[in-house]
Amino acid sequence: MFLFEEIKMKLQAQCPDLIKGVETIEVTVVPPRDNYVYALKGTIAIGDQEASVYIAFKKDFPIRKPDIFLEDRDVFGFIPHIEPDGFICYVHEEGLLLDQDNPFGIVKDSLARAIRTLEMGVSEDNYDDLYNEFEVYWARQKTKIVVDCILSLGERVKEIYVLYDPKLHRPVFIFDALDEKSIFYAKNLFHYDILDESIEKQKGIYIPLREGTRLLPPSYSSPWGFGQIKDIIFSNITSSNKRELQRILKQKRIYRNTKEYILLSVPQPNGYHALVGIELSEFKARKGLKNNKSFRHPLIKVQSDFKLTPLVLKRHHPSYLLQRTIGYDEIHNKHIAVIGLGAVGSRITMELARAGVSKFTLIDDDVLDIDNVFRHELGSERLYFFDQKQHQLQKVPKVYGMYQELKEKYPLIDVEPKVKNILDLIREDIHQFEQFDLIIVAIGNPTVERYFNRVVRTLTDPPPVIFTWLEPLGIGGHALLTLNNGNNGCYECLYTNPFDPDCALYNKASFAAPNQFFGKMISGCQTAFTPYGSMDALQTAILATRLALSVLTGKEKDNPLCSWKGDSTDFLEHGFKLSKRYELTTEQLNNTRYHYKAQQCPICGQDGGS
Ligand SMILES: [Zn+2]
Ligand SMILES: [Zn+2]
């Protein structure tokens, strides 16, 4: 307690401009956000307006900042960053570094920030925060229902579906249409079939408010009534949406046990949209009115009494979840082929999915093996499936395992798995590769990669291709882009030696010196593999994925060779030799990323290329 007494005395003596009348109070006076161990009360002033504040300390102070509350939440009106219990959100603790050796400094600084937050609210300097955090304030209403929702917002009024679980007495899921995608999504999310008859399918209306509408969230002390909501809707929608809304409303009849849902999309100054909703339920005839069997929708005419409950929507739509990541708009509708779903390819696929790519074709004819699982996106649960017809366990092709992994994590993604050898696919129809926006080749087989590099160029309109591969024993990895923007530079350039065209093939990008063999037998010839660890594959996958994203977003204009360089201790201990290129620093590798291009390249070069 000595620490807090000292802070109190210093506040009294040194900070009359910030706070007056500082005294110790019982912690029970403070709203119960935390188990506070000590609390102070004092008076601050914003302009002429005075207000009492609490400064409450957690047991971990000064590792954690003090919480500051307004005694009377509404003393300055409805302003940003004041929560319903009076808590002043003056700073977000993440990313804040507190100087534990100066506890008084922390308190003084916190108090100054809290006062600044109030000043900005009173002067309306941070009013945009109210508009931009509409959903946050909406969610702070006392009674509310939280519902998962995967709605695509648009500019048109439309009918939407609401699943209502009678056992839970609440809506559980809101979505666009009763189609295959929504059913699959809900099944994956809730682990039950939404087509089950016990789950009621209700309909609701989605209403987008006109662009440019500026709407403050309801204040804590006066939530919106239905009349107010009706006014907000009809004075802020376009005339065509009003016609559509009236058309939908006219068809609706309301019965006693009906539930009606209205979702509003509210434009914000930052360009995003808030999505909030209301549930109308427990309809009954108004006193004095004839006890009709059914009523009109209250947006047309209020003929009944009903209960209004705010809906807080947990938005699942990728365009919403990824809206703050860079480049989402450019990449989400791209179609990407990944050839080779091993340690590198499987990671690239998952990372591209997380970045928002929504359409994949996965090509690999191999099955997942227990030898793979410690360096693969897939684990042992994907090793086998039980074949009902044959009544036996079967090994799972990697592309099917990836299909399931992707669909479970991100159900809206389109995945086409192809259990095919790349050479067979080329033989079948090379033109099928024209449909992709980007092809990633991660098969770890230089002979096939060279061949693919050659044949893909015979297409009239080939997409960009990224070749990516790993070095042995953690010394590095590479990703090479080709066919971007019609520029030259290709995989064959790496094997083009202008001085000695007849010498043995050697990849110029390599960090290992020529003519060494890295296959390592752990149990006979069948399991020969290049030794590398999971993190080497991961780092290479990151390199290739970053390159893929910069192609898709148009940031990369040319065809670079990107490399990461790892530690060489293991490699050298095994008696292997490094290449000259390994001696380059990371910066030099980056600066020379276009230098691999060979003028004499028989595939892309000016001298001999097509
Ligand atoms: Zn805040
Ligand atoms: Zn070339």
Side-chain angles (χ1 to χ4, degrees):
M1 288 307 116
F2 177 74
L3 169 68
F4 297 121
E5 290 295 331
E6 192 185 307
I7 287 171
K8 178 171 83 177
M9 279 158 54
K10 281 192 178 170
L11 280 174
Q12 286 166 338
Q14 299 178 18
C15 306
D17 308 341
L18 280 181
I19 189 163
K20 288 194 175 68
V22 179
E23 54 174 346
T24 305
I25 53 167
E26 290 292 327
V27 289
T28 50
V29 174
V30 181
R33 276 204 170 228
D34 208 303
N35 294 317
Y36 298 116
V37 293
Y38 191 84
L40 295 168
K41 183 180 171 175
T43 306
I44 58 155
I46 309 294
D48 300 335
Q49 177 72 57
E50 292 199 332
S52 291
V53 293
Y54 305 135
I55 305 173
F57 299 90
K58 297 164 192 150
K59 68 173 185 302
D60 293 326
F61 178 84
I63 296 172
R64 304 197 51 202
K65 66 181 176 58
D67 286 350
I68 302 177
F69 297 83
L70 281 174
E71 184 178 49
D72 171 9
R73 176 191 70 197
D74 297 322
V75 62
F76 298 113
F78 185 53
I79 58 171
H81 305 297
I82 309 299
E83 299 192 13
D85 58 0
F87 178 84
I88 305 171
C89 158
Y90 61 86
V91 69
H92 290 275
E93 205 159 40
E94 307 89 38
L96 179 73
L97 180 61
L98 301 172
D99 180 4
Q100 300 162 47
D101 299 325
N102 183 8
F104 173 68
I106 292 174
V107 177
K108 201 177 137 188
D109 183 51
S110 300
L111 191 59
R113 283 174 192 252
I115 290 170
R116 181 83 197 111
T117 303
L118 295 171
E119 280 170 353
M120 288 181 66
V122 170
S123 64
E124 301 191 5
D125 283 346
N126 62 358
Y127 240 54
D128 271 2
D129 295 1
L130 278 182
Y131 296 112
N132 288 333
E133 291 180 41
F134 193 98
E135 286 183 10
V136 172
Y137 291 93
W138 181 265
R140 286 182 186 154
Q141 300 184 78
K142 253 194 217 115
T143 51
K144 66 203 160 203
I145 308 170
V146 180
V147 195
D148 289 284
C149 160
I150 185 153
L151 215 56
S152 57
L153 309 195
E155 289 168 16
R156 305 287 308 154
V157 162
K158 62 182 173 185
E159 285 199 272
I160 52 174
Y161 278 88
V162 181
L163 293 186
Y164 185 89
D165 189 330
K167 275 176 253 143
L168 298 173
H169 304 290
R170 66 174 187 86
V172 288
F173 193 47
I174 300 179
F175 53 100
D176 285 307
L178 205 56
D179 57 10
E180 217 177 304
K181 260 196 169 171
S182 303
I183 294 166
F184 181 82
Y185 195 91
K187 207 170 179 172
N188 194 62
L189 185 64
F190 301 117
H191 312 289
Y192 60 63
D193 194 345
I194 62 169
L195 294 178
D196 187 307
E197 278 176 14
S198 73
I199 308 295
E200 292 170 22
K201 280 113 209 139
Q202 313 262 2
K203 275 193 174 176
I205 312 174
Y206 163 77
I207 305 171
L209 300 185
R210 197 192 298 118
E211 285 308 313
T213 301
R214 288 293 167 261
L215 194 59
L216 282 178
S219 75
Y220 306 138
S221 43
S222 49
W224 290 350
F226 186 76
Q228 199 176 352
I229 293 174
K230 194 171 169 178
D231 281 351
I232 287 169
I233 292 172
F234 283 106
S235 46
N236 292 298
I237 52 174
T238 63
S239 45
S240 65
N241 270 338
K242 192 180 281 178
R243 278 194 299 276
E244 177 62 8
L245 179 59
Q246 264 145 0
R247 190 190 65 78
I248 296 171
L249 290 172
K250 268 185 204 144
Q251 299 168 349
K252 280 188 178 278
R253 297 305 297 178
I254 309 270
Y255 302 90
R256 282 165 182 284
N257 55 356
T258 305
K259 287 166 194 72
E260 276 296 328
Y261 297 91
I262 300 170
L263 265 61
L264 292 181
S265 159
V266 183
Q268 299 175 170
N270 61 7
Y272 297 116
H273 293 78
L275 184 68
V276 298
I278 52 171
E279 180 192 70
L280 309 178
S281 61
E282 297 175 20
F283 289 90
K284 47 180 180 279
R286 294 205 131 172
K287 273 207 187 95
L289 278 178
K290 208 167 59 170
N291 198 355
N292 287 334
K293 264 208 186 112
S294 68
F295 316 101
R296 311 299 303 271
H297 192 287
L299 276 182
I300 295 187
K301 196 167 195 234
V302 180
Q303 297 177 316
S304 54
D305 287 322
F306 51 84
K307 185 175 147 196
L308 187 160
T309 317
L311 298 177
V312 172
L313 302 160
K314 285 279 164 205
R315 292 163 73 177
H316 287 235
H317 208 278
S319 65
Y320 169 75
L321 297 172
L322 291 168
Q323 68 186 3
R324 282 173 175 87
T325 57
I326 296 152
Y328 172 75
D329 289 340
E330 285 128 322
I331 61 175
H332 81 279
N333 53 7
K334 296 283 162 66
H335 185 181
I336 297 188
V338 182
I339 307 173
L341 276 300
V344 179
S346 67
R347 259 72 168 270
I348 293 172
T349 306
M350 290 313 285
E351 283 314 310
L352 285 173
R354 289 182 183 111
V357 172
S358 62
K359 197 167 183 198
F360 291 95
T361 295
L362 305 179
I363 300 163
D364 194 317
D365 62 347
D366 204 5
V367 291
L368 186 68
D369 190 88
I370 189 64
D371 291 342
N372 304 133
V373 298
F374 279 97
R375 45 186 191 175
H376 201 276
E377 192 66 38
L378 302 177
S380 58
E381 85 279 16
R382 302 270 185 231
L383 277 177
Y384 303 111
F385 76 97
F386 188 72
D387 187 333
Q388 301 282 1
K389 272 189 218 138
Q390 312 253 6
H391 201 77
Q392 63 184 7
L393 280 180
Q394 305 272 19
K395 281 195 166 182
V396 177
K398 286 174 181 170
V399 291
Y400 286 155
M402 287 300 293
Y403 172 89
Q404 285 178 320
E405 190 79 18
L406 283 162
K407 285 301 235 182
E408 281 172 20
K409 287 201 162 95
Y410 312 106
L412 295 181
I413 286 181
D414 276 324
V415 190
E416 181 194 25
K418 280 189 183 236
V419 191
K420 280 273 169 99
N421 183 291
I422 178 66
L423 295 175
D424 289 336
L425 276 182
I426 293 169
R427 206 170 296 126
E428 229 171 57
D429 178 16
I430 179 73
H431 293 283
Q432 61 189 300
F433 291 99
E434 270 165 350
Q435 63 176 307
F436 306 117
D437 295 297
L438 174 69
I439 299 172
I440 296 174
V441 184
I443 49 183
N445 179 330
T447 314
V448 178
E449 281 160 355
R450 276 184 77 210
Y451 179 65
F452 188 76
N453 178 64
R454 191 167 302 190
V455 294
V456 79
R457 284 185 174 262
T458 63
L459 296 173
T460 356
D461 188 17
V465 178
I466 290 174
F467 293 93
T468 181
W469 67 100
L470 264 172
E471 296 270 1
L473 292 162
I475 57 172
H478 313 275
L480 174 90
L481 175 62
T482 185
L483 289 167
N484 187 27
N485 269 334
N487 286 313
N488 63 346
C490 77
Y491 189 74
E492 186 66 26
C493 291
L494 298 177
Y495 290 91
T496 306
N497 185 343
F499 307 109
D500 184 5
D502 297 325
C503 81
L505 282 171
Y506 171 66
N507 185 331
K508 281 191 297 195
S510 183
F511 288 147
N515 305 319
Q516 302 179 86
F517 176 67
F518 306 104
K520 178 180 165 190
M521 281 42 147
I522 52 168
S523 52
C525 312
Q526 301 218 317
T527 54
F529 71 96
T530 309
Y532 62 87
S534 174
M535 281 189 285
D536 304 329
L538 186 57
Q539 195 145 354
T540 306
I542 292 169
L543 186 79
T545 309
R546 284 195 193 281
L547 183 57
L549 293 175
S550 57
V551 184
L552 295 173
T553 54
K555 271 190 216 107
E556 178 59 62
K557 312 275 186 233
D558 202 344
N559 292 315
L561 164 67
C562 304
S563 301
W564 71 271
K565 208 174 98 164
D567 183 87
S568 61
T569 316
D570 279 353
F571 184 82
L572 294 172
E573 268 174 12
H574 279 78
F576 295 122
K577 287 191 181 63
L578 294 161
S579 70
K580 278 269 173 221
R581 187 161 186 262
Y582 183 85
E583 289 166 21
L584 298 181
T585 63
T586 301
E587 197 187 346
Q588 287 168 326
L589 285 171
N590 184 47
N591 291 341
T592 57
R593 65 190 184 278
Y594 302 113
H595 293 191
Y596 73 94
K597 295 183 182 184
Q599 281 206 354
Q600 301 81 358
C601 173
I603 305 298
C604 78
Q606 284 108 6
D607 294 2
S610 46

